[in-house]
């Protein structure tokens, strides 16, 4: 069920015969308008059995620490988002870089930073059927050292193996997202040029 705030796609990995649901989000600035987005996510989560990742600009923070400057945080809109994340059984997948992903472009006292962009995933995404077995098979090591060094070697080995396993299992996910974004932009440009093309299933 797509809306003007989210687009949901089903991806299929031909090499593993696995399906995955991806929801791309661009939320409204207004709290009341975002309720439509939360409702659509509740509906998606109600019968979700596949790996599900939800990412994009949610236009709202989760914690007060995710905003610097500007007016005080409106707790009601924060609670709306928190409730949606919890009810949909999603968790933040994390990322590297600054804790803020948006800046209002102003300086000094008028400067405002927020974390509005994030990726969330459900339990199925993080606990693939083969995941625990991969960890078990690759946790052993022949290194003879103190406990700290041994643990460090195990982690490095496991990190490399899981990275390879993830790409083989799910494919190059972020490249797939980039490709999908390009397709969406192309469809939008085609529609703006000629609205009669809106119902075409593929680009010519």
């Amino acid at each position: 069920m797509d809306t003007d705030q989210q687009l949901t796609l089903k991806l299929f990995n031909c090499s593993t015969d696995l399906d995955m649901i991806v929801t791309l989000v661009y939320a409204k600035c207004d709290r009341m308008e975002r309720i439509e987005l939360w409702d659509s996510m509740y509906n998606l989560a109600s019968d979700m059995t596949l790996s599900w990742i939800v990412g994009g600009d949610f236009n709202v923070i989760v914690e007060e620490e995710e905003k610097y400057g500007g007016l005080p945080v409106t707790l009601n809109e924060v609670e709306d988002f928190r409730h949606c994340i919890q009810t949909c059984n999603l968790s933040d997948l994390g990322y590297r870089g600054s804790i803020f992903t948006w800046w209002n472009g102003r300086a000094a006292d008028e400067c405002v930073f927020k974390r509005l962009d994030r990726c969330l995933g459900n339990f199925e995404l993080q606990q693939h059927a083969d995941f625990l077995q991969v960890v078990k098979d690759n946790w052993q090591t022949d290194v003879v050292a103190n406990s700290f060094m041994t643990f460090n070697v195990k982690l490095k080995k496991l990190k490399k193996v899981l990275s390879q396993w993830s790409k083989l299992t799910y494919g190059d996910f972020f490249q797939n997202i980039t490709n999908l974004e390009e397709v969406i932009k192309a469809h939008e440009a085609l529609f703006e040029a000629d609205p009669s093309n809106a119902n075409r299933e593929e680009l010519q």
Side-chain angles (χ1 to χ4, degrees):
M1 181 181 68
D2 298 331
T3 71
D4 59 349
Q5 298 185 76
Q6 62 88 6
L7 173 65
T8 297
L9 306 162
K10 186 175 185 180
L11 305 183
F12 178 71
N13 189 326
C14 297
S15 61
T16 61
D17 292 334
L18 292 176
D19 289 318
M20 180 181 190
I21 302 298
V22 178
T23 297
L24 306 175
V25 173
Y26 189 73
K28 300 284 189 180
C29 294
D30 182 73
R31 178 200 171 196
M32 298 307 296
E33 289 185 299
R34 282 197 299 269
I35 290 177
E36 179 186 357
L37 172 61
W38 308 147
D39 286 342
S40 67
M41 288 179 61
Y42 294 142
N43 289 332
L44 287 168
S46 64
D47 60 355
M48 184 64 65
T49 58
L50 300 173
S51 296
W52 184 29
I53 188 167
V54 185
D57 182 353
F58 290 88
N59 245 314
V60 62
I61 61 176
V62 171
E63 305 286 347
E64 291 186 54
E65 293 76 15
E66 293 181 347
K67 180 181 179 183
Y68 173 84
L71 298 174
V73 174
T74 304
L75 293 180
N76 286 339
E77 64 179 5
V78 172
E79 287 300 326
D80 289 345
F81 190 23
R82 286 178 179 170
H83 182 265
C84 180
I85 293 173
Q86 294 170 359
T87 303
C88 294
N89 295 315
L90 296 168
S91 58
D92 197 307
L93 299 178
Y95 75 109
R96 296 180 180 177
S98 169
I99 63 171
F100 306 113
T101 63
W102 178 85
W103 171 47
N104 66 347
R106 299 179 183 178
D109 294 340
E110 297 182 346
C111 181
V112 179
F113 292 99
K114 295 181 184 180
R115 182 186 177 187
L116 302 181
D117 306 87
R118 66 183 71 239
C119 277
L120 309 169
N122 65 352
F123 182 80
E124 287 76 11
L125 177 73
Q126 302 174 64
Q127 297 293 329
H128 185 276
D130 296 333
F131 177 79
L132 293 179
Q133 191 60 50
V134 171
V135 173
K136 182 179 178 180
D137 292 343
N138 291 277
W139 187 244
Q140 303 303 319
T141 179
D142 296 327
V143 174
V144 178
N146 61 54
S147 57
F148 177 79
M149 286 293 294
T150 302
F151 184 72
N152 189 40
V153 170
K154 287 182 176 182
L155 281 182
K156 288 184 176 179
K157 176 186 176 184
L158 188 59
K159 178 181 177 182
K160 182 178 180 180
V161 170
L162 287 178
S163 176
Q164 295 170 342
W165 172 82
S166 177
K167 184 167 276 191
L168 287 172
T169 303
Y170 296 111
D172 193 338
F173 173 75
F174 292 103
Q175 183 59 51
N176 290 339
I177 292 297
T178 300
N179 293 340
L180 289 169
E181 288 175 342
E182 293 301 320
V183 171
I184 292 168
K185 289 178 182 177
H187 275 284
E188 288 176 345
L190 184 65
F191 175 70
E192 289 175 0
D194 183 1
S196 65
N197 287 318
N199 293 322
R200 292 185 181 177
E201 295 183 355
E202 59 183 13
L203 294 176
Q204 300 299 317

